[in-house]
């Protein structure tokens, strides 16, 4: 390339770079001046059903975008006003788009229960997740956990821990939770049954714990 | 068939001359950067997000390539008048069209396979598990691409490149609303409207049949019957559209 050709090319590149930088300043200035707040923006956040129609077969990718947006929303409010009014709506959008995506049910439920002090809403979201994913032991376990720590409804907690313990693929600690909670809820027979299950299926440490509990309950 | 394959080879060469392979390099770079950038933002869901965006991105890119490259393929032959030289040889117009279709489908299919390979490699590299479910998903997306390419071939047989691209994208979009169209038509519409909507419903490509991306990302196994059904539907739809394209192209006058 000759020097004569190089000059207009360099001028073009420089002009383009200058325009991009100037456009950036204009955008930043306009953003600050117009001052659109987060809540204003999210008031127009569409429903999961509407996004599903517009996603044209790419619902799970759209769910991921909504998930990333929801996490940003949580993060922004956590370091500022700690108000999470839209979190339920955001999680509904994510789970409407991808009902098999279980993390948003759990995350959303815990934010509503712990940060907003609205465990009923959290339990509602988790129950919706469990209806969509009946084979997911973790959702049943989390419902039990919220009942245990937030609503102190030990009977309900025991019911869901037991459901989680009966779902294939569950983690080993689930049976322990189920047994202890059933005992606390007054279901001694069920607690004995679950501890016996731990004796059969648990590791050596858990078997020791289970035997001790069975002895305490007078079943050994 | 041998003559159609000669046109296919030529079409592949022509498409590759457009430097579409660059798409692979850009896609690979975007996947590597995306996997690194998204992981800390996704609260432990980085793997799902990389697979989702990777499969969606590769499918969208391959579809757009097929539409925009395909819309000009036939037009260029007519504009440069190279079609006269080809038609002077003992080759039927339908064979010429079939060759063009196979060349375009083959190239966009290979690009799609390359992009899916990049997704599988990126997930294996960054998350230490290989998403094998992406392989049957690739197979079905190639079939979906075949339908899109057949539609592009049909429209390019009788209209301009811009309208070809517009009609093809409109068909792809409308195909996703086919179920809604039928549902609303059956909610108390007049019998004539119902019949018309049913006709449109069956004519539109049901591209959802080929969509198993939602299962792949959650490692849910896909039933072989579903794959076979999708393959049968895709091949039949493609053959139907190509037969129509052949009939239209046969009557086209070259000026």
């Amino acid at each position: 390339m000759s020097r004569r050709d190089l000059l207009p090319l360099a001028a073009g590149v420089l002009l383009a770079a200058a325009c991009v930088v100037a456009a950036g300043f204009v955008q930043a200035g306009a953003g600050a001046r117009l001052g659109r707040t987060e809540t204003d923006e999210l008031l127009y956040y569409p429903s999961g059903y509407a996004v599903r129609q517009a996603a044209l077969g790419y619902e799970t990718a759209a769910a991921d975008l909504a998930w990333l947006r929801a996490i940003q929303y949580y993060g922004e409010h956590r370091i500022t006003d700690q108000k999470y009014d839209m979190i339920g709506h955001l999680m509904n959008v994510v789970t409407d788009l991808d009902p098999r995506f279980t993390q948003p049910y759990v995350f959303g439920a815990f934010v509503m229960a712990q940060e907003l002090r609205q465990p009923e809403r959290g339990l509602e979201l988790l129950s919706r997740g469990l209806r969509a994913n009946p084979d997911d032991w973790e959702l049943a376990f989390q419902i039990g956990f919220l009942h245990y720590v937030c609503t102190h409804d030990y009977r309900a907690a025991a019911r869901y821990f037991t459901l989680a313990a009966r779902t294939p693929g569950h983690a080993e600690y689930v049976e322990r939770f189920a047994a202890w909670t059933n005992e606390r809820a007054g279901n001694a027979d069920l607690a004995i049954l679950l501890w016996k299950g731990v004796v059969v299926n648990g590791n050596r440490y858990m078997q020791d714990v289970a035997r001790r509990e069975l002895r305490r309950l007078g079943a050994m | 068939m041998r003559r159609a394959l000669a046109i296919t080879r030529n079409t592949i060469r022509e498409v590759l001359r457009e430097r579409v392979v660059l798409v692979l390099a850009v896609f690979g770079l975007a996947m590597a950067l995306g996997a690194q950038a998204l992981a800390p933002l996704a609260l432990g869901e980085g793997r799902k997000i990389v697979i989702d965006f990777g499969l969606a991105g590769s499918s969208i890119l391959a579809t757009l390539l097929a539409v925009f490259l395909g819309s000009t393929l036939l037009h260029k032959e007519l504009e440069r008048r190279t079609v006269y030289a080809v038609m002077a040889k003992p080759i039927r117009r339908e064979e010429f069209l079939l060759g063009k279709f196979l060349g375009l489908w083959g190239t966009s299919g290979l690009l799609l396979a390359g992009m899916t390979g990049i997704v599988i490699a990126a997930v294996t590299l960054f998350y230490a598990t290989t998403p094998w479910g992406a392989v049957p998903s690739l197979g079905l997306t190639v079939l979906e691409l075949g339908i899109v390419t057949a539609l592009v071939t049909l429209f390019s047989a009788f209209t301009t490149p811009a309208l070809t691209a517009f009609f093809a994208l409109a068909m792809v979009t409308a195909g996703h609303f086919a179920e809604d169209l039928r549902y609303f038509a059956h909610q108390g519409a007049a019998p004539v409207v119902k019949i018309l909507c049913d006709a449109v419903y069956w004519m539109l490509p049901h591209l959802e049949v080929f969509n198993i991306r939602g299962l792949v990302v959650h490692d849910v196994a896909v039933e072989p019957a579903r794959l076979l059904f999708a393959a049968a539907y895709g091949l039949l739809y493609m053959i139907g559209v190509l037969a129509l394209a052949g009939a239209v192209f046969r009557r086209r006058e070259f000026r």
Side-chain angles (χ1 to χ4, degrees):
Chain A
M1 195 180 275
S2 71
R3 215 170 168 179
R4 227 175 109 183
D5 295 332
L6 207 63
L7 201 67
L9 179 70
V13 171
L14 277 176
L15 183 63
C19 285
V20 168
V21 172
F25 277 117
V26 170
Q27 194 202 353
R33 212 168 271 264
L34 297 174
R36 202 167 57 162
T37 65
E38 196 64 34
T39 317
D40 287 344
E41 186 188 334
L42 287 175
L43 280 176
Y44 297 97
Y45 206 68
S47 72
Y49 176 78
V51 182
R52 177 173 271 277
Q53 297 301 306
L56 297 178
Y58 299 101
E59 293 88 5
T60 54
D64 295 340
L65 277 178
W67 170 240
L68 291 172
R69 183 72 193 85
I71 294 168
Q72 294 311 304
Y73 172 83
Y74 175 77
E76 283 161 13
H77 285 272
R78 194 179 164 82
I79 53 171
T80 55
D81 56 5
Q82 306 205 338
K83 285 182 181 165
Y84 310 98
D85 302 331
M86 298 296 286
I87 200 81
H89 178 56
L90 290 172
M91 293 307 163
N92 282 338
V93 172
V94 180
T95 53
D96 279 350
L97 284 165
D98 187 355
R100 283 197 180 91
F101 192 6
T102 53
Q103 181 76 349
Y105 296 114
V106 178
F107 180 76
F110 273 81
V111 173
M112 286 190 264
Q114 296 297 108
E115 313 272 6
L116 295 178
R117 304 277 165 215
Q118 294 174 357
E120 328 69 48
R121 284 182 65 200
L123 285 165
E124 196 183 306
L125 182 65
L126 277 172
S127 301
R128 206 155 63 81
L130 189 60
R131 279 197 298 278
N133 302 277
D135 298 332
D136 195 298
W137 67 266
E138 205 185 341
L139 289 170
F141 180 80
Q142 299 295 356
I143 295 177
F145 191 79
L146 277 196
H147 274 301
Y148 195 95
V149 298
C150 294
T151 63
H152 307 292
D153 181 347
Y154 301 121
R155 281 184 175 277
R159 199 166 61 244
Y160 282 101
F161 283 148
T162 308
L163 177 63
R166 284 175 180 166
T167 307
H170 62 81
E172 55 179 3
Y173 58 82
V174 175
E175 287 177 23
R176 262 183 297 161
F177 270 81
W180 269 316
T181 318
N182 271 296
E183 195 185 321
R184 186 154 191 182
N187 303 329
D189 291 344
L190 192 56
I192 290 168
L193 201 68
L194 286 161
W195 282 127
K196 282 183 175 169
V198 177
V199 170
V200 175
N201 300 317
N203 58 32
R204 192 191 288 174
Y205 162 74
M206 282 180 60
Q207 284 174 342
D208 287 346
V209 173
R211 284 195 194 96
R212 196 180 62 215
E213 291 299 320
L214 283 169
R215 270 194 295 274
R216 204 170 54 77
L217 288 165
M220 209 169 174
Chain B
M1 193 64 194
R2 207 162 44 85
R3 290 179 296 228
L5 287 178
I7 301 288
T8 302
R9 275 195 297 276
N10 199 42
T11 308
I12 291 174
R13 263 199 296 272
E14 200 181 331
V15 173
L16 290 179
R17 223 176 282 145
E18 305 269 357
R19 294 180 186 161
V20 286
V21 183
L22 270 178
V23 172
L24 278 182
V26 174
F27 185 80
L29 189 68
M31 282 302 300
L33 284 175
Q36 289 297 301
L38 291 175
L41 299 176
L43 276 191
E45 296 295 334
R47 180 181 182 270
K48 176 193 182 294
I49 288 179
V50 170
I51 298 174
D52 259 340
F53 285 171
L55 294 184
S58 57
S59 159
I60 292 169
L61 275 177
T63 303
L64 290 178
L65 275 172
V67 169
F68 289 106
L69 289 173
S71 60
T72 54
L73 263 186
L74 212 58
H75 184 75
K76 271 195 275 184
E77 296 270 5
L78 294 167
E79 202 171 79
R80 290 184 203 144
R81 298 179 192 281
T82 43
V83 72
Y84 297 114
V86 180
M87 288 299 146
K89 295 193 166 66
I91 182 168
R92 288 204 306 268
R93 287 189 181 196
E94 290 87 346
E95 288 175 315
F96 175 75
L97 211 60
L98 180 66
K100 284 277 168 201
F101 162 76
L102 289 175
L104 185 60
W105 186 25
T107 322
S108 47
L110 280 175
L111 277 172
L112 179 70
M115 288 188 276
T116 309
I118 290 172
V119 175
I120 293 173
V123 173
T124 309
L125 191 68
F126 294 118
Y127 297 97
T129 53
T130 307
W132 291 117
V135 177
S137 171
L138 166 69
L140 292 190
T141 314
V142 167
L143 283 168
E144 180 182 344
L145 207 54
I147 289 185
V148 176
T149 313
L151 287 169
V152 169
T153 310
L154 166 67
F155 294 128
S156 68
F158 66 88
T159 186
T160 61
L163 282 179
T164 298
F166 174 75
F167 286 143
L169 289 176
M171 286 286 277
V172 170
T173 310
H176 287 285
F177 292 105
E179 294 294 340
D180 293 302
L181 178 77
R182 198 180 192 207
Y183 172 77
F184 288 119
H186 282 80
Q187 303 299 310
V192 183
V193 177
K194 264 187 209 171
I195 292 167
L196 269 174
C197 287
D198 274 345
V200 173
Y201 171 80
W202 290 112
M203 269 183 347
L204 287 171
H206 295 184
L207 301 179
E208 272 307 300
V209 168
F210 307 103
N211 184 5
I212 56 165
R213 288 181 289 270
L215 301 176
V216 170
V217 291
H218 295 295
D219 296 318
V220 177
V222 184
E223 294 164 31
R226 179 168 179 179
L227 298 177
L228 283 174
F229 164 72
Y233 174 77
L235 290 172
L236 283 171
Y237 198 95
M238 263 184 260
I239 293 168
V241 174
L242 287 175
L244 185 62
V248 171
F249 194 57
R250 196 174 177 77
R251 278 160 186 77
R252 180 161 180 170
E253 280 188 28
F254 299 142
R255 268 174 277 167

